Amino acid sequence: MKKKNKEFHAMKSPRRLKKKDIQHRIVDLFNTYPKEIMNYKQVSAEIGVTTSVGKLMVNDILKSLQIEDFLISDDRGKYRLNGIGSTAEGRFERRHNGKNSFIPDNEGAPLFVAERNSMHAMNGDRVRVQILAKRKGREPEAEVLEILERSQSTFVGLLEVFNNHAFLVVDNKVLANDIYISKERLHGGKTGQKAIVKIIHWPERAKNPSGEVVEILGDAGKNDTEMHAILADYGLPYTYPQAIEKQAGKISSKITREDEAEREDFRNTVTFTIDPHDAKDFDDALSIKQLSDETWEIGVHIADVTHYVKPGTAIDKEAYERATSIYLVDRTIPMLPEVLSNKLCSLRPHEDKLCYSVIFEMNSKAQVLNYRIKHTIINSNHRFNYDEAQNVIEIGEGPFKDEIITLNNLAKILRSKRFSSGSVNFDRVEVKFELDKEGKPLRVFFKEAKDSNKLIEEFMLLANRTVAEAIGRVPKNKKAKAFVYRVHDVPNPEKMQNFAEFIRRFGYRFKPNGESRDISRSMNDLLGKVQGKKEQNLIETIAVRAMAKAIYTCVNIGHYGLSFDYYTHFTSPIRRYPDMMVHRLLDRYLLGGRSVPENKLEEECKHCSDQESIASNAERESIKYKQVEFMSDKIGMTFDGVISGVTEWGLYVEINENLCEGMVPMRDLKDDFYEFDEKTYSLLGRRHKHRYSLGDRVKIKVVRANLDKKQLDFTLVDSE
């Protein structure tokens, strides 16, 4: 009893405790000592209640907790916990609003974790918890007993330096507390600088963790500082290890006679690349040769990266850890060292290059009559950017005009067939920025896919599909070898139904159920109708959210969005590690090798999917930062927009002319008291019953542009 008294009396005990505080202490006491049996006097002593009025309140609370089935009482007025909570392991999810959750490993229902029971666990930590006794009418709760594995120990933020100490004001929304830094651990950091700080200690009863500066990124507001901060915040690299760059520089670029002898030679076949104007890593090329009046040989040639990058080397290990190149607004963070990605493996014009190729024999109806998968050697005749190739398509003049026009005609037929088979037509508009030398955005513009983009896309899809079928499609009595598939699950029916209801307010119709092909055709019909409309981006965004996410896995369930039974990623090994995995598996299996262990391959697939998701989030964050920076000199200006999100704390509005998104806080809606309607994702005024819903057209004024939080604040001017 003395031990308990000491522990619970260590809590702050104001002279007059409120009933809510007393109840919290009683619940904590019984959850901490689930086997203890106590009467109201003993409970009062344990939680520090000494007054007669307080003890009567304790007695009343004990009785109410018994009615809630939280406690059990005997005839002598003694109470004990109703069942001893079991323990479980899983993942901790921290929310800045205090609504923390425990996600069990067995995929059971999430459990609420109060801040006082969190042990300062951070978002993503693996933890062991005690499942607390459930109170009637309350959501189930858990208490963290042990932090098994930290998911994150370093954080990015803004330094505030005082005489003898400093704080890191954290950018990350899932760490609600600033990090205390003693003077000796500041390492020269100054107020106003962005820094990476590692948490080294967080005492159980301390409000703030203690940390040490790991790296100073630079002055806040500078372009390099902010881009590096975004990458560091997601645990992504922003430099390449010099030792690995040095190792890559030693790889021989010489193509030997042995290399030539074991490869099919395409150096005398018309071949070219089509890429963005600022691209340096050309990982795919197309060749074309007419075989007869009605048939062509078309080669999809992919950089043979795995010829140079061998398994188990430092270069390969670094590439696996990164898993993908990262494309921020103003820079590329490559998966491979620059000497490989931009030089040795890049299919630059007028240079002999080693490739892994899928060569198709096709007729004028774009039917594949035959194909082969081969190691090849090419020499690209020309490097087109998309605009140059588009110009050839549109005016019928320019280098290799006959070849480009033929490929474009075949690509259009392939595309038409794909949509007829149920492929979903997601041609999303990309937000791009024109930047000055300092990285400041001067202009926002939108990049749309034209025929030259679609030409490349169709032949890359065809190659990826063909490679997947070559390994995955086997006779019924045989088992397919373990392989890397790019899969996309069918949409959730409930999400589809909600989407159908949402678009009705714009006057559109969508069929949310039936055969997969019927749903995708209905989706394509809708996406065609919204082209060029103000609501296009919103509807396309909501449609994408309603879909499942594509992932890498050994378990082939097909690709719903493309309507392919078999699909993989083979065509971009310079920027995606799964493509390197596919190249190596192809080498093994085409020579008759046995299947690799599926468990290990699945782990690698999951890692690549996770890294892809993290990189995608960082890319979006960089766009958001530049959008806020672009709007920062437009305070007080008004714009037309559309409500793109509704939450319990306000409305998100997307500006029509530049797709910049900001928030109208709930507190600024002063014409009524608004409440969040979770079922309809809308805000409803209590008195006047005015409703703000997703898709509503509104006029906003820009009030604030907070670069640190990457947040725009708007106020409503007028609405329809």
Side-chain angles (χ1 to χ4, degrees):
M1 294 295 283
K2 287 182 180 179
K3 183 179 179 182
K4 293 201 290 293
N5 273 322
K6 183 178 179 181
E7 180 174 338
F8 278 87
H9 285 169
M11 300 159 63
K12 286 185 180 179
S13 297
R15 292 180 182 176
R16 186 176 293 239
L17 286 167
K18 295 179 181 178
K19 184 176 181 180
K20 184 179 178 182
D21 297 325
I22 293 175
Q23 186 166 284
H24 277 318
R25 291 193 178 194
I26 293 173
V27 169
D28 285 346
L29 176 67
F30 279 100
N31 274 320
T32 304
Y33 302 99
K35 296 181 181 179
E36 202 70 44
I37 301 172
M38 294 174 275
N39 61 26
Y40 83 96
K41 291 181 180 179
Q42 291 168 311
V43 170
S44 298
E46 293 300 321
I47 65 173
V49 172
T50 56
T51 66
S52 298
V53 174
K55 290 177 183 178
L56 289 173
M57 195 179 294
V58 167
N59 197 31
D60 289 341
I61 292 170
L62 289 170
K63 289 176 180 177
S64 66
L65 290 174
Q66 181 190 354
I67 293 169
E68 291 180 13
D69 293 329
F70 180 75
L71 298 176
I72 294 175
S73 175
D74 59 20
D75 294 336
R76 296 174 294 165
K78 289 194 172 185
Y79 296 86
R80 67 175 175 83
L81 198 65
N82 184 6
I84 299 169
S86 59
T87 62
E89 293 183 5
R91 188 179 78 256
F92 184 84
E93 286 190 355
R94 176 172 286 281
R95 294 289 176 264
H96 64 283
N97 60 4
K99 294 182 179 179
N100 308 321
S101 298
F102 167 74
I103 313 297
D105 284 342
N106 63 7
E107 298 184 355
L111 303 175
F112 172 70
V113 181
E115 187 59 39
R116 65 183 182 280
N117 294 328
S118 71
M119 255 185 81
H120 301 315
M122 288 181 280
N123 194 53
D125 286 357
R126 277 195 52 74
V127 297
R128 184 168 63 86
V129 303
Q130 180 177 0
I131 300 171
L132 304 180
K134 187 178 183 303
R135 295 170 60 191
K136 191 173 181 179
R138 303 290 183 92
E139 59 183 324
E141 291 191 41
E143 178 181 5
V144 176
L145 299 177
E146 182 183 1
I147 296 169
L148 303 172
E149 183 182 340
R150 287 285 192 190
S151 68
Q152 184 178 359
S153 59
T154 60
F155 292 85
V156 176
L158 194 67
L159 288 173
E160 288 185 358
V161 181
F162 303 94
N163 288 334
N164 298 312
H165 66 279
F167 282 97
L168 185 82
V169 181
V170 182
D171 290 349
N172 196 316
K173 293 176 183 175
V174 297
L175 186 64
N177 309 74
D178 298 334
I179 301 172
Y180 171 83
I181 307 163
S182 60
K183 192 173 183 179
E184 60 270 18
R185 291 196 166 103
L186 187 55
H187 302 308
K190 298 175 183 177
T191 294
Q193 290 184 322
K194 286 271 176 95
I196 303 173
V197 169
K198 182 177 183 178
I199 291 178
I200 54 175
H201 184 48
W202 197 342
E204 189 173 341
R205 299 195 184 281
K207 180 183 177 183
N208 301 88
S210 297
E212 181 171 10
V213 171
V214 174
E215 185 172 351
I216 296 167
L217 298 171
D219 294 335
K222 288 190 175 180
N223 188 62
D224 281 351
T225 300
E226 297 300 340
M227 294 301 107
H228 289 172
I230 288 170
L231 291 164
D233 205 21
Y234 284 95
L236 296 170
Y238 44 87
T239 57
Y240 217 94
Q242 288 186 353
I244 296 177
E245 289 270 20
K246 192 174 180 181
Q247 188 181 96
K250 294 178 181 178
I251 298 175
S252 174
S253 60
K254 186 178 179 182
I255 297 174
T256 66
R257 288 183 179 179
E258 289 79 7
D259 292 332
E260 292 179 343
E262 64 188 15
R263 291 171 182 268
E264 193 168 338
D265 196 337
F266 279 79
R267 286 176 289 188
N268 293 322
T269 303
V270 171
T271 305
F272 44 78
T273 59
I274 307 177
D275 290 280
H277 71 92
D278 55 351
K280 295 177 182 176
D281 53 342
F282 313 136
D283 52 12
D284 58 79
L286 292 176
S287 70
I288 180 167
K289 179 170 68 176
Q290 189 160 8
L291 302 176
S292 70
D293 288 345
E294 290 293 316
T295 58
W296 289 266
E297 181 185 79
I298 295 166
V300 178
H301 305 286
I302 308 303
D304 195 352
V305 174
T306 56
H307 174 84
Y308 300 102
V309 181
K310 302 302 181 185
T313 61
I315 298 172
D316 182 59
K317 289 176 181 176
E318 181 71 20
Y320 172 72
E321 286 302 317
R322 294 175 178 236
T324 180
S325 293
I326 305 158
Y327 298 90
L328 301 189
V329 164
D330 68 330
R331 69 195 64 202
T332 298
I333 314 299
M335 181 182 78
L336 294 170
E338 187 177 331
V339 69
L340 285 172
S341 59
N342 292 357
K343 295 177 183 177
L344 191 57
C345 295
S346 185
L347 307 183
R348 304 193 297 186
H350 314 301
E351 296 179 10
D352 287 356
K353 293 291 180 179
L354 304 183
C355 290
Y356 214 157
S357 307
V358 187
I359 303 105
F360 300 96
E361 183 183 335
M362 300 181 76
N363 63 19
S364 57
K365 295 179 181 178
Q367 294 170 323
V368 176
L369 307 177
N370 209 343
Y371 77 88
R372 60 191 186 275
I373 302 171
K374 295 285 185 179
H375 285 286
T376 61
I377 182 170
I378 71 164
N379 189 301
S380 173
N381 300 93
H382 194 80
R383 180 265 203 259
F384 287 97
N385 64 43
Y386 282 120
D387 290 338
E388 291 167 344
Q390 185 65 29
N391 193 54
V392 173
I393 291 169
E394 289 177 1
I395 68 172
E397 294 296 334
F400 305 103
K401 64 178 182 180
D402 294 335
E403 289 84 356
I404 284 185
I405 290 169
T406 298
L407 287 169
N408 186 55
N409 290 338
L410 292 171
K412 283 186 172 180
I413 298 171
L414 288 171
R415 188 174 176 83
S416 178
K417 286 180 180 178
R418 184 160 59 84
F419 291 144
S420 296
S421 298
S423 185
V424 181
N425 184 14
F426 276 121
D427 279 339
R428 299 296 310 282
V429 171
E430 286 187 62
V431 177
K432 296 288 184 180
F433 297 88
E434 181 186 325
L435 306 174
D436 66 13
K437 291 180 181 179
E438 305 299 320
K440 184 176 175 61
L442 304 174
R443 181 173 72 93
V444 179
F445 62 97
F446 308 121
K447 179 184 170 186
E448 295 184 45
K450 296 183 178 179
D451 285 346
S452 56
N453 305 83
K454 295 171 185 177
L455 184 163
I456 293 298
E457 178 186 32
E458 288 307 320
F459 283 104
M460 297 307 116
L461 290 175
L462 180 63
N464 287 334
R465 179 184 189 179
T466 301
V467 167
E469 287 181 343
I471 303 302
R473 194 184 289 278
V474 296
K476 287 185 179 179
N477 59 339
K478 287 193 174 183
K479 185 182 178 183
K481 294 174 180 176
F483 198 57
V484 176
Y485 296 99
R486 179 70 168 178
V487 306
H488 185 223
D489 207 350
V490 296
N492 179 294
E494 186 179 350
K495 287 185 177 181
M496 286 286 99
Q497 185 63 48
N498 291 341
F499 175 70
E501 291 173 5
F502 163 68
I503 64 164
R504 282 198 193 105
R505 72 188 59 179
F506 296 96
Y508 298 112
R509 291 288 181 269
F510 168 69
K511 184 178 180 181
N513 43 45
E515 296 291 327
S516 294
R517 187 171 296 183
D518 294 333
I519 297 172
S520 57
R521 281 175 180 165
S522 182
M523 179 69 77
N524 285 339
D525 182 59
L526 168 68
L527 295 174
K529 288 177 179 176
V530 302
Q531 290 295 310
K533 304 289 177 61
K534 287 183 178 180
E535 61 269 16
Q536 176 185 345
N537 191 59
L538 175 64
I539 289 178
E540 287 180 343
T541 301
I542 301 296
V544 169
R545 289 176 187 168
M547 297 281 181
K549 288 185 178 179
I551 60 168
Y552 299 106
T553 178
C554 299
V555 182
N556 181 40
I557 59 171
H559 197 294
Y560 171 80
L562 294 171
S563 194
F564 290 167
D565 292 330
Y566 300 88
Y567 190 66
T568 190
H569 273 170
F570 164 82
T571 54
S572 294
I574 288 177
R575 63 184 181 90
R576 293 187 307 225
Y577 195 83
D579 301 57
M580 290 176 60
M581 293 163 64
V582 165
H583 283 211
R584 288 171 179 159
L585 291 170
L586 270 177
D587 278 343
R588 181 187 182 100
Y589 295 158
L590 293 179
L591 290 173
R594 297 176 64 181
S595 181
V596 299
E598 189 170 307
N599 288 346
K600 184 174 184 298
L601 191 62
E602 187 64 34
E603 284 180 17
E604 292 171 348
C605 285
K606 185 180 185 307
H607 167 75
C608 291
S609 295
D610 290 345
Q611 287 302 110
E612 177 191 38
S613 178
I614 292 168
S616 179
N617 288 337
E619 289 162 14
R620 281 196 293 269
E621 198 83 349
S622 78
I623 292 171
K624 193 187 300 180
Y625 181 88
K626 289 300 172 189
Q627 286 176 322
V628 175
E629 190 177 13
F630 176 71
M631 296 297 294
S632 61
D633 62 356
K634 296 168 180 61
I635 306 300
M637 295 177 65
T638 59
F639 297 89
D640 291 323
V642 62
I643 294 177
S644 54
V646 183
T647 69
E648 59 196 66
W649 52 85
L651 304 169
Y652 286 94
V653 177
E654 185 177 77
I655 295 173
N656 294 335
E657 68 180 64
N658 54 34
L659 302 187
C660 295
E661 187 181 60
M663 193 181 82
V664 180
M666 183 86 83
R667 64 179 180 272
D668 289 349
L669 299 174
K670 296 177 180 177
D671 62 315
D672 203 342
F673 181 83
Y674 285 89
E675 295 175 323
F676 177 55
D677 186 341
E678 201 168 350
K679 290 182 180 178
T680 61
Y681 279 91
S682 62
L683 296 184
L684 180 63
R686 184 180 289 178
R687 293 194 307 272
H688 306 305
K689 304 302 179 186
H690 179 73
R691 189 183 293 273
Y692 289 108
S693 303
L694 271 175
D696 286 353
R697 295 180 178 89
V698 293
K699 188 182 288 289
I700 60 91
K701 180 190 287 186
V702 183
V703 179
R704 278 177 295 275
N706 188 325
L707 280 168
D708 288 334
K709 294 183 178 179
K710 303 175 188 69
Q711 182 175 306
L712 289 171
D713 284 349
F714 299 156
T715 186
L716 292 180
V717 176
D718 192 11
S719 63
E720 293 178 24

